[in-house]
Amino acid sequence: MAVVDFVVYSLPMDYRLISVEPLTPRIGAVIEGADLTRTVSDALFEEIHAAWMKHLVLFFRDQPMSYDQHLALGKRFGELHIHPAAPFVDNNPALMRIHTDEHSHRNNGEGWHSDVSADAEPPMASILHIHQTPPQGGDTLWANMYEAYNSLSATFKELLLPLDAIHAANYSGFYGDHAPQRENPSAIHPVVRTHPVTRKQALYVNSGFTRRIKGITSSESEALLTLLFDHVKNPNFHCRFQWQPHSVAIWDNRCTQHMAVWDYYPATRSGVRVTVQGDRPFR
Ligand code: SIN
């Protein structure tokens, strides 16, 4: 199935329903011509998916989706993922609340990360709908992890390829009084993963969840992770998106990382994320 997908999505795509405006040559595209408040037809989904595989994160403007429409969009991509601990809205744990205001002590997703990589089967996609934006700021940055891997030397790639890393999350008190949905996850994943659709290799360690590289000393692990976490910060791999109320971003956690900038205190930024279940990462 995945190989068939790859053949389909590696063909040049003749977009008939949407227009695709790249945000940078390496990552990110703004999509026009898709109304996400309506049922996404198979033909539209195929074009969106092809653009997503190429640009890794897609942006849509002026999409006043209801919670049900947001959930339905997520289900086009697959089974929904439930965050281990985050607060949610509408009494539905699939609707993760993304909210920062003058009372917040931290901002969700402030450091570079791939969503919930501490899960054994981490989410493949995240769909963020921002409802309220601050007067200025509150942008999100994404990094292309294929590029992050490809830009390394052949010798360094060879060193990384056989390695596994421990990812772990400790949510105790992280979301204040909100009780976690399930235990603190932890998982072992390859440091370099193969994307199940594109079959391309991507660097898969992130400062949010990756704690230790296995099979080397702790000082070697620390030095290697510090180097890789710094490498991800290279702006040549990035795009940056300025939200407006009812913008939507759909990103691929298998080949990107992101970070949300908190430069707008004490203003409010608020939205909802629907997250789509992924497979166990493989080499
Ligand atoms: C996240 O899902 O990590 C939050 C991203 C954002 O708020 O822009």
Side-chain angles (χ1 to χ4, degrees):
M1 174 60 184
V3 176
V4 172
D5 278 351
F6 172 55
V7 173
V8 171
Y9 295 117
S10 62
L11 290 173
M13 182 79 192
D14 182 13
Y15 300 109
R16 291 168 196 281
L17 301 171
I18 56 172
S19 73
V20 178
E21 188 64 39
L23 204 56
T24 77
R26 291 187 171 162
I27 180 167
V30 178
I31 305 298
E32 293 207 9
D35 180 352
L36 303 180
T37 68
R38 302 171 77 94
T39 302
V40 173
S41 66
D42 290 347
L44 177 58
F45 183 75
E46 193 186 327
E47 290 194 16
I48 289 174
H49 196 275
W52 190 46
M53 288 301 96
K54 187 165 173 198
H55 298 284
L56 322 190
V57 49
L58 302 182
F59 305 107
F60 304 77
R61 297 280 187 200
D62 304 316
Q63 304 286 339
M65 294 186 296
S66 65
Y67 294 146
D68 282 348
Q69 289 161 343
H70 194 169
L71 291 164
L73 178 64
K75 285 179 192 155
R76 284 303 321 226
F77 288 80
E79 191 187 322
L80 301 185
H81 171 273
I82 303 300
H83 193 280
F88 44 85
V89 298
D90 209 30
N91 213 20
N92 184 343
L95 292 165
M96 176 177 170
R97 183 172 190 243
I98 301 285
H99 181 95
T100 304
D101 64 22
E102 61 180 322
H103 305 295
S104 302
H105 299 294
R106 47 171 291 280
N107 182 42
N108 215 70
E110 251 184 301
W112 283 104
H113 67 288
S114 173
D115 288 328
V116 205
S117 72
D119 268 2
E121 296 184 337
M124 66 163 197
S126 299
I127 305 175
L128 179 58
H129 182 201
I130 289 291
H131 303 158
Q132 182 182 348
T133 50
Q136 296 87 29
D139 297 354
T140 308
L141 281 74
W142 281 264
N144 179 333
M145 290 297 107
Y146 299 135
E147 286 290 338
Y149 177 66
N150 285 335
S151 65
L152 298 170
S153 68
T155 308
F156 203 64
K157 284 179 182 159
E158 217 172 295
L159 170 79
L160 297 182
L161 268 176
L163 297 177
D164 288 314
I166 301 166
H167 296 233
N170 182 353
Y171 290 114
S172 315
F174 196 71
Y175 289 103
D177 292 341
H178 174 76
Q181 275 88 253
R182 56 192 158 88
E183 290 299 305
N184 289 330
S186 96
I188 294 171
H189 299 308
V191 167
V192 178
R193 71 182 289 184
T194 299
H195 192 288
V197 179
T198 66
R199 298 276 147 183
K200 294 198 290 196
Q201 288 170 303
L203 192 59
Y204 196 63
V205 290
N206 68 83
S207 56
F209 296 104
T210 313
R211 303 281 176 250
R212 173 89 161 83
I213 296 190
K214 289 189 64 182
I216 58 178
T217 67
S218 61
S219 57
E220 287 166 346
S221 167
E222 200 179 313
L224 195 47
L225 286 176
T226 302
L227 185 154
L228 293 172
F229 296 162
D230 281 348
H231 179 61
V232 172
K233 295 179 191 160
N234 182 338
N236 289 327
F237 310 141
H238 299 171
C239 70
R240 180 174 184 134
F241 184 65
Q242 275 186 310
W243 298 89
Q244 294 164 355
H246 299 301
S247 298
V248 172
I250 305 179
W251 64 90
D252 189 335
N253 285 301
R254 301 166 293 191
C255 56
T256 68
Q257 289 185 27
H258 58 284
M259 63 162 293
V261 180
W262 191 17
D263 54 359
Y264 51 88
Y265 182 86
T268 299
R269 177 181 183 271
S270 196
V272 168
R273 190 180 93 191
V274 165
T275 313
V276 185
Q277 183 64 45
D279 302 326
R280 179 175 271 276
F282 58 88
R283 201 164 257 116

